[in-house]
Amino acid sequence: ENAAQEADWLGVNCFWTESAGALGAQGVGLLEEHRRLFPDKVMLVTEFGNASRGVDPAEKARQYLDFHTVACRIQNVGAAFGYAVSSAGGNPGLAWRAEGETTSALAERLGKRTL
């Protein structure tokens, strides 16, 4: 707690595994908890994402959009970065695409969003 009070900003990782996680305790709830503990600190979400394999890309995209939309409305959230762009291990379930691919279903769904 002392180190956090002395820091210029706080880095927070938010990963969830259940469908409600983006807006639950592991997602936005974690940011809200940090906001309660450190109300004046800038928070950077250094990574966020659904860590479950086998989630439909449309569902995962919806969760990412939900998280990002709500997180960016929380006071002093300076940035929010989604988890890895690509995965050398070819695990598109955790990354946006497998390394060597030019696109992914998740990236396509997010690209079609309306703001």
Side-chain angles (χ1 to χ4, degrees):
E1 186 173 332
N2 289 338
Q5 293 294 356
E6 294 296 320
D8 293 329
W9 54 274
L10 302 178
V12 183
N13 287 352
C14 298
F15 287 97
W16 57 89
T17 54
E18 72 280 352
S19 61
L23 302 178
Q26 295 174 317
V28 172
L30 187 60
L31 291 177
E32 291 170 338
E33 177 65 12
H34 280 77
R35 173 60 45 235
R36 186 185 67 73
L37 294 170
F38 309 104
D40 298 325
K41 294 293 177 183
V42 171
M43 290 190 299
L44 303 179
V45 182
T46 54
E47 292 181 340
F48 73 86
N50 181 326
S52 297
R53 292 181 167 101
V55 177
D56 179 70
E59 172 60 17
K60 194 171 273 196
R62 183 194 63 76
Q63 292 175 21
Y64 282 31
L65 290 170
D66 287 350
F67 176 87
H68 193 267
T69 298
V70 175
C72 289
R73 292 181 182 151
I74 296 174
Q75 179 185 358
N76 290 339
V77 170
F81 300 96
Y83 182 69
V85 172
S86 65
S87 171
N91 187 352
L94 293 176
W96 294 77
R97 64 179 168 79
E99 192 167 297
E101 291 180 352
T102 58
T103 189
S104 72
L106 177 58
E108 288 177 19
R109 303 277 180 158
L110 289 172
K112 293 178 183 176
R113 72 192 182 282
T114 57
L115 302 176

